[in-house]
Short mmCIF file of all heavy atoms in Angstrom, two decimals:
data_model
loop_
_atom_site.label_atom_id
_atom_site.label_comp_id
_atom_site.label_asym_id
_atom_site.label_seq_id
_atom_site.Cartn_x
_atom_site.Cartn_y
_atom_site.Cartn_z
N ASP A 91 83.70 94.63 89.23
CA ASP A 91 82.55 94.33 88.36
C ASP A 91 82.83 93.17 87.43
O ASP A 91 81.91 92.63 86.81
CB ASP A 91 82.20 95.58 87.55
CG ASP A 91 81.73 96.69 88.45
OD1 ASP A 91 80.56 96.66 88.84
OD2 ASP A 91 82.56 97.56 88.83
N PHE A 92 84.10 92.82 87.31
CA PHE A 92 84.47 91.70 86.45
C PHE A 92 85.83 91.21 86.91
O PHE A 92 86.59 91.95 87.53
CB PHE A 92 84.56 92.18 84.98
CG PHE A 92 84.71 91.08 83.96
CD1 PHE A 92 83.74 90.10 83.81
CD2 PHE A 92 85.85 91.01 83.15
CE1 PHE A 92 83.89 89.07 82.87
CE2 PHE A 92 86.00 89.99 82.20
CZ PHE A 92 85.01 89.03 82.06
N PHE A 93 86.10 89.94 86.64
CA PHE A 93 87.39 89.35 86.95
C PHE A 93 87.94 88.82 85.63
O PHE A 93 87.42 87.85 85.08
CB PHE A 93 87.22 88.24 87.98
CG PHE A 93 88.53 87.68 88.48
CD1 PHE A 93 89.09 88.16 89.67
CD2 PHE A 93 89.21 86.70 87.77
CE1 PHE A 93 90.31 87.66 90.13
CE2 PHE A 93 90.42 86.20 88.23
CZ PHE A 93 90.97 86.67 89.42
N ILE A 94 88.96 89.48 85.11
CA ILE A 94 89.48 89.08 83.80
C ILE A 94 90.57 88.03 83.95
O ILE A 94 91.34 88.05 84.92
CB ILE A 94 90.03 90.30 83.01
CG1 ILE A 94 90.37 89.89 81.57
CG2 ILE A 94 91.23 90.94 83.71
CD1 ILE A 94 90.60 91.05 80.63
N ARG A 95 90.59 87.10 83.02
CA ARG A 95 91.70 86.13 82.92
C ARG A 95 92.25 86.31 81.51
O ARG A 95 91.47 86.33 80.54
CB ARG A 95 91.18 84.71 83.09
CG ARG A 95 90.50 84.46 84.42
CD ARG A 95 90.11 82.99 84.57
NE ARG A 95 91.28 82.13 84.41
CZ ARG A 95 91.25 80.79 84.42
NH1 ARG A 95 90.10 80.16 84.58
NH2 ARG A 95 92.36 80.09 84.26
N THR A 96 93.57 86.40 81.38
CA THR A 96 94.12 86.64 80.04
C THR A 96 93.97 85.41 79.15
O THR A 96 94.26 85.48 77.96
CB THR A 96 95.59 87.08 80.10
OG1 THR A 96 96.33 86.14 80.87
CG2 THR A 96 95.72 88.47 80.71
N THR A 97 93.53 84.30 79.73
CA THR A 97 93.23 83.13 78.91
C THR A 97 91.79 83.15 78.38
O THR A 97 91.40 82.27 77.61
CB THR A 97 93.46 81.83 79.71
OG1 THR A 97 92.83 81.98 80.99
CG2 THR A 97 94.95 81.57 79.92
N ASP A 98 91.01 84.14 78.75
CA ASP A 98 89.65 84.28 78.21
C ASP A 98 89.74 84.46 76.69
O ASP A 98 90.55 85.27 76.21
CB ASP A 98 88.95 85.54 78.75
CG ASP A 98 88.61 85.46 80.23
OD1 ASP A 98 88.64 84.36 80.79
OD2 ASP A 98 88.31 86.53 80.82
N ALA A 99 88.86 83.78 75.97
CA ALA A 99 88.88 83.92 74.50
C ALA A 99 88.63 85.38 74.09
O ALA A 99 89.23 85.87 73.13
CB ALA A 99 87.82 83.01 73.89
N GLY A 100 87.78 86.06 74.82
CA GLY A 100 87.47 87.46 74.51
C GLY A 100 88.71 88.34 74.61
O GLY A 100 88.90 89.27 73.81
N HIS A 101 89.54 88.06 75.57
CA HIS A 101 90.77 88.84 75.73
C HIS A 101 91.75 88.53 74.60
O HIS A 101 92.31 89.43 73.98
CB HIS A 101 91.41 88.54 77.09
CG HIS A 101 92.80 89.10 77.22
ND1 HIS A 101 93.04 90.45 77.42
CD2 HIS A 101 94.02 88.52 77.14
CE1 HIS A 101 94.35 90.66 77.47
NE2 HIS A 101 94.97 89.50 77.30
N VAL A 102 91.93 87.24 74.33
CA VAL A 102 92.88 86.81 73.30
C VAL A 102 92.56 87.49 71.96
O VAL A 102 93.45 88.00 71.27
CB VAL A 102 92.85 85.26 73.18
CG1 VAL A 102 93.61 84.79 71.95
CG2 VAL A 102 93.42 84.63 74.45
N ALA A 103 91.29 87.55 71.63
CA ALA A 103 90.89 88.15 70.35
C ALA A 103 91.27 89.63 70.29
O ALA A 103 91.73 90.12 69.26
CB ALA A 103 89.38 87.98 70.14
N VAL A 104 91.11 90.33 71.42
CA VAL A 104 91.43 91.76 71.41
C VAL A 104 92.94 91.97 71.36
O VAL A 104 93.43 92.91 70.71
CB VAL A 104 90.79 92.48 72.62
CG1 VAL A 104 91.21 93.94 72.67
CG2 VAL A 104 89.28 92.37 72.54
N VAL A 105 93.71 91.11 72.02
CA VAL A 105 95.18 91.22 71.94
C VAL A 105 95.59 91.12 70.47
O VAL A 105 96.37 91.93 69.97
CB VAL A 105 95.87 90.11 72.77
CG1 VAL A 105 97.37 90.07 72.49
CG2 VAL A 105 95.60 90.34 74.25
N GLN A 106 95.03 90.13 69.79
CA GLN A 106 95.41 89.95 68.38
C GLN A 106 94.98 91.15 67.53
O GLN A 106 95.75 91.63 66.70
CB GLN A 106 94.81 88.65 67.85
CG GLN A 106 95.47 87.44 68.53
CD GLN A 106 95.05 86.11 67.95
OE1 GLN A 106 93.87 85.94 67.61
NE2 GLN A 106 95.97 85.18 67.84
N ALA A 107 93.79 91.65 67.78
CA ALA A 107 93.30 92.79 66.99
C ALA A 107 94.16 94.02 67.27
O ALA A 107 94.49 94.79 66.35
CB ALA A 107 91.84 93.07 67.35
N LEU A 108 94.55 94.19 68.51
CA LEU A 108 95.32 95.40 68.84
C LEU A 108 96.73 95.37 68.25
O LEU A 108 97.22 96.38 67.74
CB LEU A 108 95.35 95.58 70.36
CG LEU A 108 95.31 97.04 70.75
CD1 LEU A 108 94.13 97.34 71.65
CD2 LEU A 108 96.60 97.43 71.43
N VAL A 109 97.38 94.21 68.32
CA VAL A 109 98.73 94.17 67.72
C VAL A 109 98.64 94.31 66.19
O VAL A 109 99.53 94.89 65.57
CB VAL A 109 99.57 92.94 68.15
CG1 VAL A 109 99.89 93.01 69.64
CG2 VAL A 109 98.93 91.62 67.78
N GLU A 110 97.55 93.84 65.64
CA GLU A 110 97.33 94.06 64.18
C GLU A 110 97.23 95.56 63.88
O GLU A 110 97.75 96.03 62.88
CB GLU A 110 96.03 93.38 63.72
CG GLU A 110 96.12 91.86 63.52
CD GLU A 110 96.81 91.44 62.22
OE1 GLU A 110 97.52 92.26 61.60
OE2 GLU A 110 96.65 90.25 61.84
#
Side-chain angles (χ1 to χ4, degrees):
D91 295 280
F92 189 61
F93 187 96
I94 188 166
R95 300 185 56 183
T96 53
T97 47
D98 291 345
H101 169 75
V102 169
V104 176
V105 170
Q106 292 187 320
L108 215 122
V109 294
E110 282 283 17

